[in-house]
Amino acid sequence: MASDFAQLVKQQADIVKIIGDYMRLKKAGAQNFSGLCPFHKEKSPSFSVHATRQFFHCFGCGVSGDVFSFIQKIENVSFPESVRFVAQKCGIPLPKREFSSEEEAQEGRQRAKLLELHELATAWFEEQLRSPEGALAREYLSGRGLKPDEIKQFRIGYAPDSFHALRERLQSLADEDTLRLSGLFSFKAQEDGKPGPIYSRFRKRVTFPIANESGRVIAFTARALEAGEKAGPKYLNSPETPLYSKGNILFNLDKARQAIRETSFAVLVEGQMDCISVFLAGVKNVIATSGTAFTEAQVRLLSRYATRIIINFDPDTAGANAAEKSIALLTEEGFEVRVVTLEGGLDPDRYIREHGAQEYMTALRAAKRHSDYLIERARQLFPPSTADAKVKALNFLLPHIKRMPNRITRDEFATDAAQKLGIDSALVREELKQAAAKRRDSLAHAVPTLSEAEKDLLRALAAPVSDQACKAAMAGFDSNESYFEGLTVAPILKQLRHRGDADPMEAIEDPAGRSLLAQALNGEIEPVSAEHVTAALETLRRRYLERRRRELRAAVSEAERNGDTTSVVKLTAEKLALDRELREP
Ligand SMILES: [Zn+2]
């Protein structure tokens, strides 16, 4: 399946470095790195990357594979695209394109085309901003304190008041269907149900490009320069497209991710303009949601880089609700969350313009723990002067308290809440105890463990076929298949034995099996040798004989009970032979 070029790229790519670009990895052994899985929800790291074997595996959700499968999953691209992507990262020149299927080729071409259209539209909007027509937009931006080089840095542009200008710019590059798919245009359905002609979605608006993690523009958000019904909503976003899914993107993550990874700390604001202001004020680790609600996918995306976060939303009702929802999602993921409410009800953008960057930094440093913020909010919503209000305030807080994954912080939160609301803390504790019991039930799941002998065989069979240890293991497996009868590891060994030249991880069909292989490979201290294999086979042989002897013992008693003398004699003889075999060193 994998082309020669893919093999070459895989040999030169460092999987730890490439995955490390997307998430925080910690060294967890001689060859191992671990972190929070980017593909499922978790609080303690079960995602591991093996440096020498060049694969990743998650013990939680079972995903595993090589550097290409990782890129395919995380960038949502096809295999050939992932090869190209990794090659580019490693600076390996690309050969002529080879696609493995027509469908993939089609998809790849379409994505490439949509990216190209977005790039061209971005450049065109930038040009329009500099043109005479862009005067009003320039005025707006300078009014918000943006300097020309800052406008350039964020590639802010202007969509002129024209239905057709952008189409004219792009129509030689793509057919109408592709233009429609890009989300840059609107259209109405005709009477026959077919889509009507396309026209510019963004008109007379300041355009802010939205980029993916790698910095490629995939969508826009555009601010109206005029108010009123005719001008439409204040902010207009690209619709969902094959490139863009609103709930999966964090605005500015491409520019902020380096700083976030280095400090494992992020500042979250509501709007793009806030985000730009905060970034330009020198807070390089700032990101924004596009709109108010934070999604689970965004939390997961962020958890690849950060463990701590300061939320700085608008202090209005919508902002407070969004902050509460975000706190809930983030604390559940194990984030340490703080909240800033800026003085005078200002949003970050205005606050920085009125008070300056230094004061904003001071406000960030004074951010409240999320528990203090929520308790204060509960007191505002339900001033605890009556018993009824106290119950309401407590009911507002309880779900937040229950959500805290750590027992100590949960207890602290509960004690604080009880104290500040004037409630008996025993009452709060009782509520929490019930929640804790439920939590324990849902956490029970068993992971099978392997003996060192089983692990050594797995390691040997996963080694390159030319390896002495691998050869010994294959021969040993073929001639002694009975040793493995009934063992969990048997089907995995068998699949590895017959994998041909496939990647070991890909050769194993079920996630649980891949998990076991990863467990073995991760625990490898020195490379497994042919001697290790011989010793492992001997251990497994003895265990097999012991199992067999137990079975014979049971069979003998059974035959005795049934009065079946012939069988008793035959089985006893067999058992004695086994005893002899087991006595031998
Ligand atoms: Zn996982």
Side-chain angles (χ1 to χ4, degrees):
M1 174 183 113
S3 66
D4 291 345
F5 180 67
Q7 291 291 5
L8 176 92
V9 173
K10 195 168 164 174
Q11 279 161 15
Q12 298 192 26
D14 177 3
I15 193 168
V16 177
K17 201 167 158 289
I18 287 174
I19 294 185
D21 260 356
Y22 292 88
M23 55 185 283
R24 299 187 330 115
L25 283 174
K26 270 199 193 132
K27 206 153 181 5
Q31 296 297 334
N32 254 337
F33 293 81
S34 74
L36 292 174
C37 178
F39 305 118
H40 87 279
K41 229 178 114 163
E42 66 174 2
K43 293 180 194 81
S44 54
S46 46
F47 184 88
S48 77
V49 183
H50 199 280
T52 29
R53 303 269 190 173
Q54 290 289 304
F55 76 88
F56 70 94
H57 178 78
C58 173
F59 292 94
C61 66
V63 294
S64 63
D66 59 11
V67 65
F68 302 131
S69 0
F70 182 85
I71 293 298
Q72 275 176 265
K73 275 188 88 80
I74 203 128
E75 292 278 348
N76 190 22
V77 295
S78 66
F79 173 74
E81 285 178 291
S82 74
V83 176
R84 237 162 49 113
F85 187 94
V86 175
Q88 274 169 340
K89 282 215 147 192
C90 304
I92 303 166
L94 299 170
K96 289 237 174 335
R97 292 294 300 277
E98 284 168 52
F99 274 110
S100 42
S101 81
E102 187 45 41
E103 202 181 314
E104 277 178 0
Q106 182 67 33
E107 241 184 69
R109 275 196 298 269
Q110 190 189 69
R111 283 179 57 89
K113 182 54 83 181
L114 292 176
L115 284 169
E116 188 193 348
L117 292 174
H118 275 83
E119 176 53 39
L120 286 167
T122 308
W124 188 76
F125 289 145
E126 287 181 285
E127 239 170 71
Q128 300 307 304
L129 182 66
R130 292 189 296 265
S131 78
E133 234 201 296
L136 196 60
R138 288 198 300 274
E139 209 174 287
Y140 164 78
L141 290 168
S142 71
R144 300 209 75 159
L146 286 168
K147 299 184 197 74
D149 61 317
E150 295 169 339
I151 290 170
K152 204 167 152 192
Q153 189 182 1
F154 281 90
R155 305 194 70 188
I156 300 169
Y158 173 64
D161 193 8
S162 154
F163 283 88
H164 303 301
L166 182 62
R167 194 189 66 198
E168 275 154 25
R169 172 68 185 89
L170 299 179
Q171 67 190 0
S172 64
L173 292 146
D175 55 41
E176 180 134 338
D177 282 342
T178 310
L179 292 179
R180 192 171 275 130
L181 205 59
S182 73
L184 295 167
F185 300 93
S186 298
F187 52 89
K188 295 194 172 72
Q190 288 174 317
E191 272 172 22
D192 57 4
K194 286 186 185 135
I198 59 168
Y199 55 92
S200 300
R201 176 182 298 273
F202 307 117
R203 299 179 308 278
K204 207 170 182 185
R205 283 173 181 269
V206 177
T207 55
F208 299 92
I210 298 173
N212 62 14
E213 273 174 273
S214 329
R216 308 282 307 263
V217 177
I218 53 172
F220 291 93
T221 183
R223 190 192 189 281
L225 282 176
E226 281 172 345
E229 209 169 306
K230 203 175 148 268
K234 190 168 162 192
Y235 283 96
L236 187 63
N237 289 318
S238 292
E240 304 271 310
T241 69
L243 292 180
Y244 174 63
S245 174
K246 187 176 162 185
N248 292 334
I249 290 289
L250 285 167
F251 181 75
N252 202 43
L253 185 59
D254 57 317
K255 292 191 177 64
R257 68 174 179 168
Q258 183 74 17
I260 297 177
R261 194 166 42 220
E262 280 165 7
T263 55
S264 79
F265 164 51
V267 176
L268 177 69
V269 296
E270 237 175 296
Q272 282 91 356
M273 202 55 228
D274 287 329
C275 190
I276 291 173
S277 297
V278 172
F279 187 86
L280 293 174
V283 181
K284 300 286 181 206
N285 52 341
V286 63
I287 45 171
T289 54
S290 305
T292 48
F294 208 41
T295 67
E296 214 169 290
Q298 286 169 325
V299 173
R300 222 176 300 156
L301 178 60
L302 188 59
S303 70
R304 302 212 313 259
Y305 302 100
T307 55
R308 292 177 300 136
I309 190 165
I310 293 184
I311 299 178
N312 182 191
F313 285 175
D314 294 352
D316 57 13
T317 315
N321 286 338
E324 272 156 41
K325 270 190 204 133
S326 309
I327 289 171
L329 281 170
L330 286 160
T331 48
E332 208 162 12
E333 284 284 325
F335 272 88
E336 186 195 312
V337 185
R338 287 176 178 265
V339 185
V340 164
T341 318
L342 296 170
E343 213 182 292
L346 297 180
D347 63 31
D349 177 40
R350 276 200 55 193
Y351 190 89
I352 290 167
R353 273 185 286 147
E354 290 183 16
H355 299 269
Q358 279 312 315
E359 269 199 52
Y360 182 70
M361 301 277 201
T362 310
L364 282 185
R365 275 192 289 272
K368 286 196 183 79
R369 287 190 308 177
H370 86 277
S371 51
D372 292 335
Y373 168 82
L374 289 170
I375 294 171
E376 197 168 295
R377 179 126 174 89
R379 286 171 56 94
Q380 269 168 20
L381 290 169
F382 314 101
S385 50
T386 64
D388 183 47
K390 282 181 191 178
V391 171
K392 280 188 181 146
L394 181 61
N395 283 339
F396 169 85
L397 288 174
L398 270 175
H400 287 290
I401 302 176
K402 286 178 192 165
R403 221 171 262 125
M404 305 284 294
N406 179 302
R407 195 180 59 80
I408 297 169
T409 47
R410 197 162 60 234
D411 282 353
E412 248 176 46
F413 193 169
T415 314
D416 280 358
Q419 200 184 23
K420 287 184 184 142
L421 296 175
I423 297 174
D424 181 5
S425 66
L427 192 84
V428 186
R429 248 163 247 290
E430 187 47 41
E431 288 274 355
L432 287 179
K433 224 184 267 165
Q434 285 168 18
K438 261 186 220 154
R439 187 194 304 267
R440 266 195 302 279
D441 286 349
S442 65
L443 276 182
H445 72 283
V447 182
T449 46
L450 297 175
S451 68
E452 278 308 310
E454 288 169 316
K455 286 181 189 169
D456 275 345
L457 280 175
L458 283 173
R459 287 164 188 157
L461 284 173
V465 194
S466 56
D467 201 282
Q468 286 305 323
C470 186
K471 283 184 187 152
M474 290 199 291
F477 184 78
D478 289 349
S479 47
N480 303 294
E481 231 173 304
S482 55
Y483 295 178
F484 308 100
E485 269 166 22
L487 298 183
T488 323
V489 79
I492 313 170
L493 290 172
K494 192 162 184 176
Q495 285 163 26
L496 281 178
R497 164 67 187 94
H498 300 291
R499 74 184 149 102
D501 55 6
D503 189 88
M505 273 294 168
E506 279 161 28
I508 299 172
E509 286 153 19
D510 71 312
R514 286 195 291 271
S515 198
L516 287 176
L517 176 59
Q519 196 187 98
L521 295 180
N522 287 339
E524 190 173 24
I525 294 160
E526 51 173 328
V528 62
S529 66
E531 286 74 47
H532 284 121
V533 171
T534 312
L537 284 167
E538 174 56 20
T539 308
L540 288 170
R541 182 184 75 94
R542 298 191 73 87
R543 278 213 215 118
Y544 161 71
L545 294 178
E546 278 157 11
R547 276 201 307 280
R548 184 80 193 113
R549 186 164 62 173
R550 276 196 299 276
E551 279 166 18
L552 282 171
R553 239 183 242 143
V556 170
S557 337
E558 170 86 19
E560 278 170 351
R561 269 198 305 279
N562 296 339
D564 181 353
T565 337
T566 326
S567 293
V568 171
V569 172
K570 191 173 148 272
L571 289 166
T572 308
E574 214 179 310
K575 187 186 150 287
L576 286 173
L578 262 183
D579 288 343
R580 263 198 308 280
E581 217 180 325
L582 274 166
R583 266 198 304 275
E584 281 165 19

